[in-house]
Every structure is written in structure tokens, then in C-alpha cells.
Amino acid sequence: MGKFFTILLVIFFASHGYVERFSYAEKSKLEWSDFRAEPKMDSSFDASVNTGITYQWSISKDYGNIELKYEVDSFCYPSLSWVKRGQLTKYLLAHEQLHFDISELHARIMRKKLKEYKPGKDVRKDLNKMYKRVERMRVNMQELYDIETEHSRNRSNQKKWEKKVKNLMWYYRAYAK
């Protein structure tokens, strides 16, 4: 019975535990080989990249000085990203790349906010509120990008968004990892 239970645990954590990911700092340019999930054939979209941001922090007090240490990353999750067969075009990859860039942009915004933050009475509450605000901004921007580009079908708006995100990435360049 003990061996059976151990095997079940190994199978469970192998399939439900860690989700493969890479950070923007590790690899900023997507390739079609990064889209490893089974395509959603019932979707009206040709591809979907799964990205996000995470943060962790710690605080230390030394002789009355409070020091906030933090780590912010943007990630791509290959096992949750997919593309339909026959749709592997440079143009579509550029559209999906901008989704990854938007996540990195918001990681930079979060880093800026954390750098400027002066620890107060309730650091945990302040930082959770800050993260939720930046995450809401990120999700809203991702959705607006897809709406305005019609999920890459509007080439004119796609170009506008590429320029907009490039300019914002440049503006927040000091907060790149």
C-alpha cells in the first residue's frame, strides 16, 4: 500500500505540480517551439501565449533602517501556450510576442513602484494592493490590445500597438532586469 501511495503522489505532482516557464530575462524573444500545449481547435483564435508576472519580497530592519528587497519577473508558460497547425507565421508570432512584451512592461512598472515605495505600517497590505493594481492594468492592456488589433487581424492597429509598447518599454528601460 505504501509503494502504491508513493507512486500516486509522484504521478500527481509530476502532472499537477510545477508548470514549465521561462522569464523574459532568460529569453525575451518567443519562438513557435515555445507553444507546446495542444491547440484549442474550437477557439476562433489561431494561437494563444500564456504570460504573467510574479513578485516576491522581504523586509529587514537594521539599526532603525527598513530595507525592502524584492524580485519581479515576467514569465511565459510554454505548456499553456498553443498555436494551430498551419498558422505558424512571423506576423502571428509578432502578435503573440507583444503579449509577452506587455507582461514585461508591467513587471517593469511594478519594479518602479517597488523602488519608489517607502515601507509604512502595513507593508504586506500595501504591496498586495500595489501588485493587484499593476496586474489589473496588465490584464486590461492585454485585453485592449486584442480588441483593438482584432487578435492580430487589424494590421494597422497592430503596427500602432507595436510602436506604443516599444516606446513604453523604452520609457521603463531603467527597470529592466
Side-chain angles (χ1 to χ4, degrees):
M1 182 71 164
K3 286 183 184 178
F4 178 72
F5 184 69
T6 303
I7 292 170
L8 280 178
L9 283 177
V10 169
I11 291 170
F12 176 79
F13 284 110
S15 63
H16 294 90
Y18 174 76
V19 175
E20 178 193 7
R21 67 184 187 179
F22 59 84
S23 72
Y24 197 89
E26 294 169 322
K27 180 180 175 184
S28 62
K29 294 298 175 197
L30 295 175
E31 301 168 8
W32 282 125
S33 61
D34 297 321
F35 293 70
R36 300 189 190 134
E38 281 296 315
K40 295 191 167 92
M41 300 312 286
D42 59 340
S43 174
S44 61
F45 311 133
D46 293 330
S48 177
V49 67
N50 191 299
T51 66
I53 62 173
T54 63
Y55 84 108
Q56 51 189 355
W57 60 275
S58 65
I59 197 162
S60 61
K61 294 179 184 179
D62 188 25
Y63 300 106
N65 294 325
I66 298 174
E67 182 182 9
L68 177 67
K69 294 181 181 180
Y70 55 87
E71 187 78 26
V72 181
D73 284 302
S74 58
F75 289 98
C76 174
Y77 300 89
S79 62
L80 302 174
S81 303
W82 55 267
V83 60
K84 289 180 181 174
R85 183 173 270 153
Q87 300 300 320
L88 286 76
T89 65
K90 285 183 181 180
Y91 177 77
L92 183 57
L93 184 60
H95 176 82
E96 299 305 317
Q97 176 67 51
L98 213 60
H99 280 293
F100 195 21
D101 295 343
I102 289 170
S103 286
E104 172 59 18
L105 169 64
H106 285 82
R108 292 177 185 190
I109 291 168
M110 183 69 179
R111 288 183 200 113
K112 180 181 188 297
K113 289 181 174 296
L114 286 165
K115 185 173 184 175
E116 295 170 349
Y117 175 70
K118 303 289 185 240
K121 199 175 194 179
D122 195 347
V123 175
R124 181 179 311 277
K125 183 179 177 185
D126 293 345
L127 297 184
N128 283 339
K129 188 175 178 181
M130 183 187 305
Y131 174 77
K132 286 179 181 176
R133 187 176 307 126
V134 171
E135 178 61 10
R136 191 174 335 109
M137 289 168 44
R138 184 188 75 81
V139 168
N140 288 345
M141 188 176 205
Q142 297 280 16
E143 290 173 354
L144 185 61
Y145 168 53
D146 271 337
I147 289 167
E148 291 186 358
T149 64
E150 299 168 39
H151 296 272
S152 82
R153 291 177 184 99
N154 185 322
R155 289 182 181 259
S156 171
N157 283 352
Q158 179 69 33
K159 284 286 179 204
K160 289 177 187 175
W161 270 91
E162 287 170 3
K163 185 175 182 180
K164 175 182 181 173
V165 172
K166 180 180 179 182
N167 288 339
L168 287 168
M169 292 283 274
W170 180 86
Y171 180 81
Y172 288 99
R173 70 193 178 281
Y175 303 97
K177 197 164 182 186

